[in-house]
Amino acid sequence: FWFSGRVLDRIGPEVNLMIAIVAYVVRVSGYYFLTNPWLVFPLEMLHGLTFGAFWASSLALLSKKAPDSIRASAQGIFFALYGGLGATVG
């Protein structure tokens, strides 16, 4: 999150979101192929990229797309879908 403002200004939230999604796919796919449990640690280093880039990009896109009058509600709905519905379904 510390560098997210500079990264978003440089490459844009859309590209940043795609990088986060690709890193997440690599990380989760890597769990499938692990044979040694200690190899989970290098994969977990991608968590900072996937989590931080995803949230920073998503909130930047919400701020850009949502009208000012419902911006906070849009962020609340986003969090409810991700943290509530997504976690429940997952």
Side-chain angles (χ1 to χ4, degrees):
F1 290 119
W2 182 266
F3 299 106
S4 65
R6 286 183 262 173
V7 171
L8 290 173
D9 289 340
R10 186 169 196 138
I11 65 174
E14 293 87 358
V15 174
N16 196 30
L17 185 61
M18 293 306 294
I19 290 170
I21 291 169
V22 168
Y24 187 78
V25 168
V26 167
R27 188 179 119 210
V28 174
S29 298
Y31 294 141
Y32 176 77
F33 294 106
L34 285 180
T35 56
N36 182 349
W38 288 100
L39 294 176
V40 77
F41 292 114
L43 286 174
E44 279 299 305
M45 289 193 295
L46 284 174
H47 178 71
L49 175 65
T50 57
F51 181 77
F54 175 78
W55 276 101
S57 313
S58 298
L59 292 179
L61 284 170
L62 274 174
S63 294
K64 190 187 330 183
K65 304 283 183 184
D68 291 340
S69 60
I70 62 164
R71 187 169 291 150
S73 297
Q75 289 180 3
I77 291 168
F78 172 72
F79 180 73
L81 289 174
Y82 180 83
L85 181 65
T88 301
V89 170

